[in-house]
């Protein structure tokens, strides 16, 4: 057989049947194809028909080899679409055929982009992306600030009606099209700016997220000593306000002064009243761990106006963090898919260890009681509901683009409904379980400080780098607990960071496919450039910069992106069409629950929270520090730098559209699917049966070689287009090809647009 250009195609074996497959253990779903390719195996999905006869095994092996070599005989396997527009699961003779939904792992189904080596790689990568540092410091703090158990009520409600549905929507969208965040909008090209917005959010977030990982690495390295460096108040970075220098005393045998101090025989012994001391002197007692964090780790300045020079310790550790990120990404998902076996599983082992240690501490019950007993009056506060919704977007990942990036490497036939539910519920339960761990230590800290639980915790990063180290320092074997705690934080952060950077990289490579062969140097350049952009956060004023990025970049812009996305899919593309696409992949239509949430609860819930976020807007602060007014303007620019791409790209596409002279006509042309929209591979596009005139092979149409048709003995059609000649396999539907042939563009013709619109 001869392929395109007279090149001989590889020989495809057709004589391999069940006898040639190595069965796994009894009742194992795997069939190993070791006689041909060691490590390649077939897994039957729940929707797959039984592969009990030899012919089905033979077809599966043939299809696997064809996908690997790309060039094969069209007469053997490809069923062309009849020219009358009929589509679906029919052979040329019109007979129905079953769809084999088993999955072959060990080779890439989509060789151009690559696929996950196995399903577990994908699930763990998604779980590692969704479960990050926010689950152990942002969620507990929001829960702490909003009434303990009362926060769990809106959190669980929003998780059910917004978070999980959006998670499933993004995995379905990316897996169906095999496209990442910048190229999966072919169903309505006017929304292409969403992908750029997602990449911008991920790129900016990765800058400060890796800085937090660098701090964790710093603490991890310095924890290999006893006593821990933040245990005392006699170091160069300590001040006279260090708590050990101002101990709390009862002063029963001394003289109580009105400024809160206590003296015995004219010698200062401590403070009998903290409030009086602060009111009289303006000074506040500070824990040794807080002074270590601010004085030694950060070398913090007085404000954002005093940035200063990068500190060499933080600079080196940030460089190490970006180097680790680069090394784990250079081989794409094949590398990260294996790294996550450690980074996604290890934190759960550490959480279990810390949980059993935490609940055995003195006064731990008081912290857990504060966590699980709700203050129901807080449910009347709209801010609690807003914080719950923002936490869903922050921790689960909708709107970031990471879900789209990871799912785009998944295989077309997959039970990703179960995957989405597993990851979503896993993320939720991790936050809740992590809350028990954290509040047990907060209760312990409250007992050590002699205060109530609601007087212990602090905001954001302070919870991780002030409260936790202080609690660890008071544990027997403090060095050991500090090492495993910060190692857990590093692994929690790394897998989220991998996906955040991979999102940007996937967006670039999908938009410019020629970059894929230069992936390693591009990732290196991206990581090095990000390192340079992160250097200002290594300065004494860096923590103020980090707070600005965290407050504005990952705030209301995520809500706006999520709202636009769900409206685009369900109301512009059409919920019924989207459900048909999902049914094509998994073999059954999605449940009514998904349709109701996509069309009603998601947009309504997000819109409500978004409006309230704007009405209740307050400028950023860091502890007691109030930023100057100009920072608020910079923050809004940071928020707009992502979402501005959504209307910007839409306006650009309206301007460039020249197949209609009216605004409404132009708008109509760029809000319906393009000719390329659909599954990425021809063998999957053949399964589309609900769209008359669906283009099976849009790439050949554009003059690109599609090897799925190479070597066809069925003849071809030559169509002139300017100075070029395009080759079409005979029997391929030509419905809707007029516009792209006459203009040289890959848009949707009037004919195909009508057929698409009729499906809404």
């Amino acid at each position: 057989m001869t392929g395109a250009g007279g090149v001989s195609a590889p020989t495809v074996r057709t004589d391999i049947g069940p006898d040639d497959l190595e069965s796994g253990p009894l009742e194992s779903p795997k069939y190993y194809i070791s006689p041909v390719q060691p490590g390649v195996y077939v897994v039957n999905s729940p929707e797959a028909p039984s592969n009990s006869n030899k012919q089905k095994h033979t077809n599966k092996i043939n299809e696997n080899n064809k996908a690997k070599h790309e060039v094969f005989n069209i007469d053997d396997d490809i069923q062309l679409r009849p020219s009358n527009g009929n589509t679906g699961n029919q052979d040329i003779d019109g007979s129905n055929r079953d769809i084999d939904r088993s999955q072959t792992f060990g080779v890439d189904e989509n060789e151009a982009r690559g696929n996950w080596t196995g399903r577990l790689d994908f699930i763990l990568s998604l779980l590692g992306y969704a479960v990050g540092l926010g689950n152990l410091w942002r969620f507990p703090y929001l829960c702490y600030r909003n009434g303990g158990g009362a926060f769990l009520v809106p959190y669980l409600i929003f998780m059910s009606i917004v978070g999980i549905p959006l998670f499933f929507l993004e995995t379905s969208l990316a897996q169906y099209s095999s496209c990442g965040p910048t190229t999966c909008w072919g169903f309505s090209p006017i929304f292409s700016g969403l992908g750029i917005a997602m990449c911008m959010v991920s790129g900016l977030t990765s800058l400060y997220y890796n800085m937090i990982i660098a701090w964790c690495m710093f603490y991890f390295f310095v924890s290999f000593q006893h006593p821990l460096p933040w245990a005392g108040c006699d170091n160069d970075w300590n001040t006279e306000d260090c708590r050990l220098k101002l101990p709390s005393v009862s002063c029963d045998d001394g003289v109580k002064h009105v400024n809160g101090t206590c003296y015995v025989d004219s010698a200062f012994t401590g403070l009998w009243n903290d409030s009086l001391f602060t009111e009289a002197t303006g000074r506040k007692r500070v824990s040794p761990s807080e002074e270590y964090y601010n004085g030694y780790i950060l070398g913090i300045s007085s404000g954002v106006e005093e940035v200063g020079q990068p500190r060499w310790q933080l600079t080196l550790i940030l460089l190490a963090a970006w180097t680790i990120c680069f090394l784990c990404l250079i081989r794409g998902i094949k590398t990260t898919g294996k790294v996550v076996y450690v980074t996604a599983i290890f934190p759960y082992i550490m959480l279990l260890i810390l949980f059993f240690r935490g609940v055995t501490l003195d006064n731990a019950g008081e912290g857990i009681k504060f966590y699980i007993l709700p203050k129901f009056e807080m449910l009347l506060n709209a801010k609690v509901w807003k914080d719950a919704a923002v936490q869903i977007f922050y921790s689960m990942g909708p709107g970031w683009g990471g879900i789209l990036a990871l799912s785009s490497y998944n295989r077309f036939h997959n039970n990703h409904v179960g995957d989405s539910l597993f990851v979503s519920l896993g993320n939720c339960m991790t936050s809740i379980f992590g809350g028990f761990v954290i509040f047990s230590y907060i209760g312990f800290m409250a007992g050590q400080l002699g205060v109530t639980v609601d007087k212990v915790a602090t905001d954001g990063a302070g919870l991780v780098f002030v409260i936790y180290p202080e609690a660890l320092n008071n544990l027997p074997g403090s060095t050991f607990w500090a090492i495993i705690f910060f190692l857990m934080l590093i692994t929690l952060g790394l897998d989220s960071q991998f996906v955040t950077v991979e999102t940007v990289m996937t967006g670039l490579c999908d938009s410019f496919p020629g970059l894929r062969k230069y992936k390693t140097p591009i990732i290196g350049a991206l990581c090095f450039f990000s390192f340079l952009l992160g250097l200002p956060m290594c300065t004494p004023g860096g923590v103020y910069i980090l707070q600005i990025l965290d407050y504005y970049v990952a705030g209301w812009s995520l809500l706006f992106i999520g709202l636009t996305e769900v409206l685009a899919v369900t109301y512009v593309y059409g919920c019924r069409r989207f459900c048909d696409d999902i049914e094509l992949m998994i073999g059954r239509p999605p449940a009514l629950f998904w349709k109701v949430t996509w069309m009603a609860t998601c947009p309504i819930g997000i819109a409500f929270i978004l409006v309230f976020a704007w009405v209740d807007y307050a400028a950023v602060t860091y502890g007691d520090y109030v930023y100057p007014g100009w920072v608020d303007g910079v923050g809004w620019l940071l928020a707009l730098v992502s979402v501005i791409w959504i209307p910007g790209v839409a306006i650009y596409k309206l301007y460039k559209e020249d197949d209609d002279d009216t605004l409404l006509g132009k708008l109509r042309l760029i809000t319906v699917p393009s000719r390329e929209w659909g599954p990425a591979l021809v063998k999957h596009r053949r399964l589309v049966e609900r769209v008359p005139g669906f283009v099976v092979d849009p790439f050949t149409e554009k003059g690109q070689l599609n090897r799925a048709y190479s070597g066809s003995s069925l003849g071809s059609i030559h169509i002139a287009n300017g100075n070029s000649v395009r080759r079409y396999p005979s029997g391929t539907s030509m419905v809707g090809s007029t516009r792209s042939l006459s203009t040289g563009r890959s848009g949707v013709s009037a004919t195909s647009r009508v057929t698409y619109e009729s499906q809404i």
Side-chain angles (χ1 to χ4, degrees):
M1 185 183 72
T2 302
V7 179
S8 297
T11 301
V12 177
R13 290 187 59 183
T14 60
D15 59 338
I16 304 173
D19 296 336
D20 299 303
L21 304 178
E22 288 186 5
S23 297
L26 187 63
E27 299 182 357
S28 169
K30 296 183 179 181
Y31 295 91
Y32 294 91
I33 316 175
S34 58
V36 181
Q37 295 169 354
V40 180
Y41 57 89
V42 176
V43 177
N44 293 331
S45 68
E47 297 79 23
S50 175
N51 291 337
S52 59
N53 59 75
K54 179 175 181 178
Q55 185 60 42
K56 286 191 175 182
H57 278 295
T58 301
N59 290 342
K60 173 53 63 179
I61 306 304
N62 289 343
E63 182 180 330
N64 178 51
N65 283 320
K66 290 169 185 175
K68 182 174 181 63
H69 297 294
E70 294 189 326
V71 181
F72 53 88
N73 192 337
I74 187 171
D75 299 326
D76 294 337
D77 189 70
I78 295 293
Q79 283 76 40
L80 293 175
R81 188 179 309 280
S83 59
N84 61 6
N86 292 333
T87 62
N89 304 329
Q90 292 184 340
D91 294 334
I92 296 178
D93 61 3
S95 60
N96 292 325
R97 59 182 174 84
D98 292 331
I99 301 174
D100 184 2
R101 298 188 181 278
S102 59
Q103 302 171 69
T104 304
F105 292 98
V107 293
D108 288 334
E109 180 183 58
N110 188 336
E111 202 166 72
R113 299 185 82 254
N115 292 111
W116 294 102
T117 303
R119 184 178 176 187
L120 188 58
D121 295 18
F122 168 66
I123 294 175
L124 288 179
S125 295
L126 265 184
L127 185 63
Y129 172 58
V131 177
L133 292 173
N135 295 76
L136 286 188
W137 62 268
R138 193 182 182 99
F139 173 84
Y141 171 72
L142 291 176
C143 194
Y144 179 90
R145 188 178 68 181
N146 291 298
F151 181 76
L152 295 178
V153 176
Y155 177 77
L156 292 175
I157 291 175
F158 273 112
M159 175 69 73
S160 302
I161 67 174
V162 176
I164 295 177
L166 278 181
F167 198 96
F168 180 43
L169 182 145
E170 288 199 0
T171 58
S172 301
L173 179 63
Q175 184 173 312
Y176 177 74
S177 63
S178 295
C179 292
T182 57
T183 52
C184 67
W185 314 103
F187 65 86
S188 187
I190 194 174
F191 294 102
S192 299
L194 273 169
I196 304 177
M198 290 176 173
C199 289
M200 291 297 297
V201 169
S202 293
L204 290 173
T205 303
S206 69
L207 299 180
Y208 73 85
Y209 200 84
N210 220 25
M211 189 71 246
I212 297 177
I213 294 174
W215 292 344
C216 294
M217 293 172 63
F218 202 142
Y219 270 90
F220 173 73
F221 292 134
V222 300
S223 295
F224 286 88
Q225 53 185 301
H226 183 78
L228 293 170
W230 56 84
C233 285
D234 299 322
N235 304 287
D236 294 339
W237 57 82
N238 292 123
T239 68
E240 292 302 315
D241 293 330
C242 190
R243 192 177 65 233
L244 299 181
K245 295 180 179 179
L246 298 171
S248 294
V249 295
S250 61
C251 205
D252 293 334
D253 299 327
V255 179
K256 296 181 179 179
H257 290 253
V258 293
N259 63 356
T261 58
C262 176
Y263 285 81
V264 176
D265 297 332
S266 300
F268 173 75
T269 58
L271 303 180
W272 68 273
N273 189 301
D274 288 355
S275 300
L276 289 177
F277 178 77
T278 300
E279 182 179 345
T281 64
R283 297 166 57 190
K284 295 175 63 175
R285 298 171 72 225
V286 182
S287 67
S289 61
E290 183 174 354
E291 291 204 330
Y292 181 78
Y293 172 62
N294 289 324
Y296 183 75
I297 298 293
L298 301 180
I300 193 170
S301 66
S302 60
V304 71
E305 301 95 335
E306 299 180 19
V307 175
Q309 299 295 320
R311 295 165 56 83
W312 69 268
Q313 302 98 322
L314 290 180
T315 300
L316 289 179
I317 207 74
L318 180 63
L319 180 61
W322 277 111
T323 301
I324 293 173
C325 187
F326 166 72
L327 294 176
C328 291
L329 288 173
I330 53 176
R331 294 196 57 193
I333 59 173
K334 295 293 187 292
T335 301
T336 55
K338 297 299 180 287
V339 174
V340 293
Y341 279 84
V342 176
T343 58
I345 295 175
F346 180 77
Y348 288 98
I349 299 174
M350 294 298 99
L351 272 179
L352 281 172
I353 295 174
L354 291 171
F355 169 76
F356 287 113
R357 182 67 187 97
V359 296
T360 60
L361 295 173
D362 295 336
N363 210 52
E366 292 300 315
I368 295 176
K369 185 187 300 183
F370 181 89
Y371 175 54
I372 62 177
L373 295 181
K375 298 178 181 178
F376 288 107
E377 64 272 14
M378 295 294 294
L379 295 178
L380 301 177
N381 187 344
K383 194 173 187 304
V384 178
W385 294 81
K386 184 203 77 172
D387 286 348
V390 172
Q391 174 61 17
I392 295 295
F393 276 83
Y394 190 92
S395 65
M396 288 192 63
W400 296 84
I403 299 174
L404 293 170
L406 292 178
S407 300
S408 66
Y409 296 108
N410 210 357
R411 296 170 190 273
F412 187 76
H413 297 311
N414 189 22
N415 183 25
H416 69 287
V417 182
D419 296 346
S420 300
L421 288 174
F422 176 81
V423 174
S424 301
L425 294 176
N427 175 73
C428 177
M429 297 309 297
T430 301
S431 295
I432 294 174
F433 179 69
F436 282 96
V437 178
I438 301 314
F439 276 90
S440 65
Y441 284 90
I442 291 178
F444 171 72
M445 279 294 300
Q448 293 289 306
L449 297 174
V451 298
T452 58
V453 174
D454 60 338
K455 302 294 184 182
V456 175
T458 185
D459 193 359
L463 185 62
V464 176
F465 301 111
V466 175
I467 299 298
Y468 295 159
E470 184 74 11
L472 295 171
N473 185 60
N474 287 277
L475 297 177
S478 56
T479 297
F480 170 76
W481 297 111
I483 290 172
I484 67 167
F485 177 77
F486 287 109
L487 183 59
M488 177 189 67
L489 291 183
I490 293 170
T491 55
L492 270 176
L494 280 178
D495 43 16
S496 297
Q497 177 69 5
F498 294 159
V499 180
T500 304
V501 179
E502 180 67 36
T503 299
V504 180
M505 192 63 202
T506 298
L508 287 173
C509 290
D510 283 353
S511 299
F512 308 98
L515 296 178
R516 288 197 179 107
K517 58 184 177 181
Y518 307 110
K519 189 168 184 178
T520 298
I522 291 176
I523 291 178
L526 180 63
C527 290
F528 182 71
F529 182 65
S530 299
F531 162 71
L532 294 180
L533 291 179
L535 283 178
M537 286 179 283
C538 297
T539 64
V543 68
Y544 301 109
I545 299 174
L546 185 145
Q547 182 76 353
I548 294 171
L549 289 171
D550 182 48
Y551 188 82
Y552 289 100
V553 172
W556 67 266
S557 54
L558 283 177
L559 296 173
F560 185 80
I561 291 172
L563 177 62
T564 307
E565 180 183 19
V566 72
L567 291 176
V569 172
T570 56
Y571 286 99
V572 180
Y573 180 51
C575 187
R576 194 177 79 177
R577 268 191 287 182
F578 187 58
C579 291
D580 289 343
D581 295 341
I582 296 175
E583 182 179 1
L584 183 69
M585 289 191 293
I586 66 176
R588 64 180 186 275
L592 178 63
F593 169 79
W594 304 113
K595 303 174 187 178
V596 173
T597 53
W598 288 335
M599 298 190 70
T601 61
C602 281
I604 293 174
I606 299 173
F608 168 76
I609 297 301
L610 186 60
V611 171
F612 181 79
W614 285 333
V615 172
D616 193 52
Y617 169 76
V620 62
T621 59
Y622 180 73
D624 296 330
Y625 174 74
V626 179
Y627 285 81
W630 59 267
V631 170
D632 197 38
V634 173
W636 278 100
L637 288 177
L638 289 171
L640 290 173
V641 76
S642 59
V643 298
I644 196 65
W645 290 97
I646 301 175
V649 172
I651 294 172
Y652 172 78
K653 286 188 173 292
L654 278 172
Y655 172 76
K656 295 293 291 184
E657 180 59 57
D658 56 8
D659 280 0
D660 199 300
D661 295 331
T662 65
L663 179 61
L664 289 178
K666 290 174 179 287
L667 189 62
R668 176 175 174 271
L669 289 174
I670 60 175
T671 52
V672 294
S674 65
R675 299 178 70 78
E676 293 85 358
W677 168 248
L681 302 183
V682 171
K683 66 178 181 179
H684 295 150
R685 296 178 73 90
R686 298 197 320 269
L687 305 177
V688 179
E689 61 182 2
R690 291 180 172 87
V691 184
F694 183 79
V695 181
V696 178
D697 188 16
F699 309 100
T700 300
E701 239 182 32
K702 296 191 296 182
Q704 300 174 4
L705 172 64
N706 189 325
R707 294 179 180 176
Y709 289 111
S710 298
S712 173
S713 59
L714 299 180
S716 58
I717 302 173
H718 297 265
I719 299 177
N721 178 25
N723 295 325
S724 63
V725 176
R726 295 180 178 178
R727 182 179 298 271
Y728 290 82
S730 61
T732 303
S733 171
M734 296 301 298
V735 177
S737 62
T738 306
R739 177 175 183 249
S740 64
L741 290 175
S742 62
T743 64
R745 297 170 59 191
S746 58
V748 180
S749 68
T751 305
S752 61
R753 290 177 190 278
V754 172
T755 58
Y756 266 113
E757 291 171 354
S758 67
Q759 307 302 314
I760 300 178

